[in-house]
Structures are given as C-alpha cells and as structure tokens.
Amino acid sequence: MNPLSRFQGNAWFQAGRLAYLALFAMTLIAAASWLFSNVRQIEPDKRAVVMRFGAVSRTAGAGLLLAWPEPLEQVEILPAADRVIEHHVTALLRTDIVPAWNNTGGEKSDAVAGAGYLLTGDSGVVQLDVQVYYVITDPVAFVLQGEHVLPALDRLTGHAAVAICASRDLDTILVARPEIAGNGSNIAERRERLRGDLRQGINQQLAALSAGGSSTGIEVRRVDVQSSLPPAAVDAFNAVLTASQQADQNIASASNEAARVHQDAVQSADRALQVSHARASEQIARASTDTATIVQLAGDHSPELLWRLWRERMPAILAHAGSVTAVDPHDDAHLILPGPDRPTSQP
C-alpha cells in the first residue's frame, strides 16, 4: 500500500474520532445544563412554588432550590410574604375605558357618556384613580389563579368603589364645595376614612372568594385614592364658588358700611345728648340766676317786696308766652283768666 494513502486514511480516522468526542462532550454539557436548569438560588425577598407536571408539588423559601428540569417540574418565583406589590387600577379611568370602547368597531354613541364616573349618594359625579398595594398570602392559590388575579382585583376594586361612593355624599369624597359651612372636622375625618373603607371592602370580597373556593391568594394592605370631578362639573363648581365668594365679599362690605353708619349715628346721638345736657345746664344756671333774688327775698319773708318784684317782672316773663292760665295754689276751683286785650287808643 502506498504510504501516502495510509497516512490520509489515518488522518480521516483521527478527524472523525475528534468530531465524535467533541459531539459527545457537547451532549454531556447540554444534558448537565438541562439536568441542573432548575437548580437556582432563591433571593431573600422572594420565594418559589414548584409544580410537577402542572400540579403544585411544594413551596420553597430563600436559599438553594433543587428541582427537576422542565418539563418535569416548573418553578414560579414569587415575592416574599412581607413584600408589598403595587397595582394601578386602570379599569376606573375614563381615559382608558372610552378609547377601548370606541376601538371595538361598534358605532360610537352616548353609551360611554358616563363611563369612568361614579355616582355619589347625593347624586353627584366623581372619578377615582385608585392605587392598590397588596401582598401574596397564599402562593399556591396565587399561582393557580395565574393571570386571572389582577383582572379579579380590578373588578373587586371597581365594585367596592361603587358601593363606597354610593354611601357618601360628594363633600365626604373630595372638597368640591368649600363654601358650605358643613365642611367641618367630621366631614374631613370621613374623607380620610375613604381609603380605609375601600381597602376593607376589597378584602371582604377577597375573603368571600376564598370562602367559596376561589381564593386569589392576595390581601390588600393599603389603598391610595385620588378623586376628581368631570371637567364640566369643575367649571360649574368654580362658577358657584366665585359667586359665593363675591356674595360673601358683598355681605362683608355691607356689614362694614352698616357698622360705619351705626357708629356715626351713635356718635351723632352722643353729640346731641351732650349738647342738650349742656344747654339744659345753661338754662338751669340762667334760671337760677334770674330767680336768685326772689328766692333770697322769699327766705327773708318780705311779702311787700316780693309782690313788687312780681308786678315788675311777671309781665315781661308772661309776654313771651302764647297763653297763660293761672291757678290759685290755695283754691284750685277758681281760675285766673286773662281778660280781653285793651284796645289801643287812636292817635
């Protein structure tokens, strides 16, 4: 045999052997990778649910997890029991409901005029933007429900929001009419209890589902609510608020004007009273001066002098009177009436 042919045959044999060894090594590596594909480290803030052929086999906490590879066993990684998960309930938002309704291909109508709005107990309209924070209390039930958990949470939140709004008036949900005097501390406290009542309503419905054998495996820990009014209602409330503020301003101006007028009247009355007292004191002093002589003579018991002063001064005093009726102090049965005026002599 030709030495060259023998060498070429050995070369092909060596190449085939190397290829076989490489393929065998790759097969072993792939098999090892597949065999240990579900061997993983579970972080402290997570936990795992292991399912064997679609049925829940066991749960595992933080640490090293040993599980058979897929499709023998499947591993679902979930947050730990104390980790709070945030979920935005978009089913109550009008901005998400109306476009989805109109994009269904149907004819647009007024059927979505009230979509996204909730009716309050006093026939008001309000919109709620709800943020739900929940924890996974039952990982097995949560995994079994799978993708149905969040839609169920949205529906339960919407149902609880409808019931809560129907049991409250508008001012216990948001400050819509601050001009009303009833917006006191009691209404403010009821407004703060809205979130707690909404959380309680959602948890009661979740408990009812669990009692009926359809547990979602979650519990709501906190609810954040942002309430708002429709744009048209905002304009109307702003107009009412402006009118109320203008009315309050007018009432305040009228009250100030009335207080000023009353103060001026009181000052005028006080001034008139003071002038009257001063004039009365002046007249009393003048009368006392005018009668001082007679009073002094009356004390001296001089009848002749008194009679003379009477005749001298009384005509001048009585001349200022329109009419005079004299009564005898010792005999009131007789009156002294003035006689007819004496006719004046002709020149």
Side-chain angles (χ1 to χ4, degrees):
M1 180 179 293
N2 190 358
L4 180 60
S5 300
R6 183 183 301 177
F7 175 77
Q8 290 178 350
N10 291 334
W12 283 107
F13 176 77
Q14 294 295 332
R17 182 181 178 184
L18 291 176
Y20 173 78
L21 291 177
L23 181 62
F24 182 74
M26 293 175 62
T27 303
L28 290 179
I29 293 174
S33 300
W34 173 78
L35 183 63
F36 295 99
S37 60
N38 271 343
V39 178
R40 63 185 70 184
Q41 181 70 27
I42 306 300
E43 299 178 0
D45 60 340
K46 296 181 180 179
R47 51 186 166 171
V49 176
V50 181
M51 295 183 294
R52 182 175 299 173
F53 299 110
V56 177
S57 174
R58 64 189 184 277
T59 59
L64 183 62
L65 174 65
L66 300 177
W68 291 105
E70 295 183 357
L72 301 179
E73 290 184 346
Q74 297 84 29
V75 178
E76 293 287 342
I77 304 298
L78 302 177
D82 56 350
R83 182 178 174 182
V84 179
I85 306 172
E86 178 182 357
H87 175 63
H88 189 199
V89 181
T90 59
L92 294 174
L93 298 180
R94 179 177 174 83
T95 55
D96 292 342
I97 297 175
V98 175
W101 182 280
N102 292 332
N103 291 334
T104 56
E107 183 180 357
K108 296 182 180 180
S109 64
D110 58 351
V112 296
Y117 297 135
L118 301 176
L119 191 64
T120 61
D122 57 349
S123 300
V125 177
V126 68
Q127 185 178 17
L128 298 183
D129 187 359
V130 181
Q131 203 85 7
V132 178
Y133 298 87
Y134 65 92
V135 295
I136 300 176
T137 57
D138 188 353
V140 174
F142 184 83
V143 170
L144 291 178
Q145 292 294 338
E147 60 183 7
H148 302 290
V149 174
L150 295 182
L153 181 59
D154 290 344
R155 289 192 295 270
L156 296 181
T157 303
H159 183 273
V162 170
I164 291 298
C165 291
S167 63
R168 283 172 163 80
D169 56 12
L170 188 61
D171 288 295
T172 56
I173 299 176
L174 77 165
V175 184
R177 294 167 290 187
E179 74 279 2
I180 297 180
N183 283 328
S185 59
N186 187 22
I187 295 183
E189 292 176 359
R190 293 178 60 188
R191 194 179 299 121
E192 290 295 328
R193 288 201 302 267
L194 174 65
R195 296 181 298 177
D197 294 343
L198 184 57
R199 179 184 64 85
Q200 183 179 1
I202 298 173
N203 285 330
Q204 287 177 353
Q205 296 181 80
L206 290 173
L209 288 178
S210 300
S214 301
S215 175
T216 57
I218 63 174
E219 178 183 356
V220 176
R221 293 293 177 86
R222 184 165 64 93
V223 175
D224 287 345
V225 180
Q226 291 183 355
S227 53
S228 59
L229 291 171
V234 172
D235 296 337
F237 277 110
N238 289 336
V240 172
L241 181 59
T242 302
S244 300
Q245 292 175 351
Q246 185 64 36
D248 293 339
Q249 184 178 358
N250 295 336
I251 292 173
S253 300
S255 299
N256 294 334
E257 183 65 19
R260 186 188 64 79
V261 172
H262 180 267
Q263 185 178 5
D264 293 342
V266 170
Q267 291 177 356
S268 299
D270 292 340
R271 190 181 305 109
L273 186 60
Q274 291 175 1
V275 171
S276 299
H277 284 304
R279 290 179 178 177
S281 299
E282 183 180 356
Q283 291 178 0
I284 292 173
R286 187 182 300 111
S288 299
T289 303
D290 295 340
T291 59
T293 304
I294 298 177
V295 173
Q296 184 177 3
L297 292 175
D300 293 340
H301 302 287
S302 300
E304 295 79 5
L305 187 57
L306 287 175
W307 180 248
R308 190 182 69 183
L309 291 175
W310 171 272
R311 288 182 297 176
E312 292 178 354
R313 298 187 179 184
M314 283 306 296
I317 295 175
L318 295 178
H320 296 287
S323 63
V324 178
T325 302
V327 180
D328 188 357
H330 301 290
D331 186 7
D332 55 1
H334 296 82
L335 300 178
I336 302 174
L337 300 177
D341 295 338
R342 184 177 299 176
T344 58
S345 59
Q346 296 294 331

